[in-house]
Amino acid sequence: VRVDEFFQARSLSPRSIKDYRWDLQQFMAWTDTPWNEVTRRQVAQFKSYLLIEREFAGSSVNRVMQTLKTFYGWMLTSEYVSSDPTIGIEQEKLPKAKSKDLEAHEIEKIYAAIAQRPYKERDRAIFTVLQHGLRSEEVSNLDLGDYTQFDLNVRQAKADSTGAVPLFPFGSTDIEAYLEWRVEWEGKPLDNASPLFISTSRRNKGERLSRWGIYKIMDELSEATGIHLHSHRGRHTFCTYLMVVLGLESSSAMKLSRHKDIRSYERYTNRKSELAAKNAFHRAVAQLPKDMTGLHDYSYDSPPIDHTD
């Protein structure tokens, strides 16, 4: 009852409600203690249970614990509890997130693998759209009417990160080629209200391609190429491209990728700094005299080391 009231008091998307409910269910399944009798010690024990017995990743533990903290914050404000048992329970320290962008040769290899697939026009368009920073569920939710020659209108997105996503020229080219194939495949004009990407399986032929269907395509391409591939790597590639190749400032890049939190964008600013340092190194090395073959050719203004006793 309290959980349902918690959702009614907040403005959450159906996806967020599902995620919150799953997180809270982990705690409810772990203990029979009423909400208002839970102690800080129990919350700490629950966190250890997730880490050790359930073997949750640190990021997953932090998400569940943050949900619990948010819920108890609301419970305290609503005067359903007299104290918050999550206060003082620290989050797990995580290594700095890194961008998992795809290298140019990997993208070329993936496109080559797509060219061998039975529905190559559709799969190429999907992979291309993922490289414009869309999440798999956002790609699944697209309708034909959301596409113009210049952009995609993302109407349903995580954390309300909706908006128009501009397309690279190759994006429009691949989507147009897919739509031409689809008209021929379906044998009728396309309806703007229909899904942009459809399933070709026997069971769901012509219906909206689910995010699980997109996951399956990525898994098959991963197996075919030997590249560790998942749909979110396209988003990482897009964000890195905005920062490194186009040289956009973080604020502009975040607007285009529809990021809300600057902290979640640090992986891309770090990646930009990393690549900038490497490029600076190679530029400096290229300016060295040609007859210098290694570090042993350099002379440092430091006294020689005396190896005698």
Side-chain angles (χ1 to χ4, degrees):
V1 173
R2 292 289 174 256
V3 171
D4 288 339
E5 188 177 343
F6 167 67
F7 291 141
Q8 291 169 5
R10 297 174 63 83
S11 178
L12 298 171
S13 68
R15 174 67 186 276
S16 295
I17 290 176
K18 182 179 179 180
D19 292 343
Y20 270 64
R21 190 179 295 278
W22 189 90
D23 290 342
L24 292 172
Q25 185 62 46
Q26 305 310 303
F27 187 70
M28 294 167 66
W30 178 78
T31 181
D32 292 328
T33 305
W35 290 115
N36 60 348
E37 296 178 16
V38 171
T39 65
R40 188 175 303 174
R41 182 181 180 186
Q42 285 177 301
V43 175
Q45 290 173 336
F46 172 64
K47 179 184 173 185
S48 296
Y49 159 78
L50 294 179
L51 283 168
I52 299 172
E53 294 188 38
R54 296 290 300 278
E55 297 182 345
F56 275 25
S59 57
S60 297
V61 172
N62 286 349
R63 191 202 66 240
V64 173
M65 297 307 296
Q66 185 57 50
T67 296
L68 200 59
K69 283 177 177 288
T70 302
F71 176 71
Y72 264 109
W74 171 81
M75 290 274 281
L76 187 64
T77 302
S78 301
E79 299 182 349
Y80 288 129
V81 295
S82 57
S83 62
D84 182 351
T86 67
I87 292 177
I89 307 298
E90 296 182 357
Q91 296 280 73
E92 283 294 290
K93 292 183 178 180
L94 304 176
K96 284 187 176 181
K98 294 183 178 181
S99 174
K100 299 177 181 177
D101 48 292
L102 292 162
E103 300 286 350
H105 68 90
E106 292 179 311
I107 294 174
E108 184 177 347
K109 191 173 182 180
I110 292 167
Y111 276 129
I114 290 174
Q116 306 302 315
R117 293 174 63 83
Y119 303 104
K120 56 182 181 291
E121 291 87 357
R122 182 202 63 176
D123 295 353
R124 182 183 177 94
I126 289 173
F127 181 60
T128 292
V129 168
L130 288 170
Q131 289 180 77
H132 285 75
L134 275 73
R135 305 171 180 93
S136 56
E137 188 168 15
E138 295 167 357
V139 175
S140 173
N141 288 333
L142 289 172
D143 288 340
L144 268 166
D146 295 323
Y147 164 69
T148 72
Q149 188 179 354
F150 305 104
D151 56 34
L152 290 167
N153 180 33
V154 179
R155 295 172 291 100
Q156 303 176 51
K158 178 181 178 183
D160 197 31
S161 54
T162 56
V165 177
L167 290 169
F168 293 112
F170 76 91
S172 299
T173 298
D174 287 349
I175 294 176
E176 288 293 337
Y178 157 64
L179 294 179
E180 288 179 14
W181 167 85
R182 185 169 156 187
V183 169
E184 184 178 345
W185 187 69
E186 293 188 5
K188 61 180 180 180
L190 301 180
D191 181 358
N192 280 343
S194 66
L196 178 59
F197 293 110
I198 57 173
S199 172
T200 54
S201 68
R202 289 184 179 181
R203 176 182 294 180
N204 302 312
K205 184 176 180 180
E207 296 180 7
R208 185 181 301 277
L209 182 66
S210 68
R211 60 174 173 152
W212 304 110
I214 296 173
Y215 292 161
K216 186 173 184 292
I217 293 170
M218 294 301 108
D219 287 344
E220 291 170 352
L221 289 172
S222 179
E223 184 176 351
T225 60
I227 297 169
H228 178 57
L229 180 64
H230 52 77
S231 57
H232 218 62
R233 290 199 69 182
R235 183 167 172 80
H236 285 242
T237 303
F238 178 68
C239 295
T240 300
Y241 189 90
L242 294 177
M243 297 284 290
V244 176
V245 180
L246 299 186
L248 299 183
E249 294 297 325
S250 296
S251 57
S252 298
M254 286 180 63
K255 184 71 174 178
L256 291 171
S257 61
R258 297 166 294 113
H259 275 83
K260 299 291 186 179
D261 190 344
I262 185 63
R263 292 172 297 180
S264 65
Y265 213 78
E266 286 181 355
R267 70 182 71 196
Y268 308 114
T269 54
N270 292 339
R271 177 66 165 155
K272 181 179 181 179
S273 299
E274 174 190 330
L275 292 177
K278 287 183 179 179
N279 289 337
F281 170 80
H282 289 301
R283 284 195 300 270
V285 168
Q287 295 173 5
L288 293 175
K290 299 299 183 182
D291 59 347
M292 301 183 74
T293 58
L295 290 176
H296 61 276
D297 292 319
Y298 291 88
S299 176
Y300 294 95
D301 295 329
S302 58
I305 299 174
D306 186 357
H307 294 288
T308 61
D309 291 336

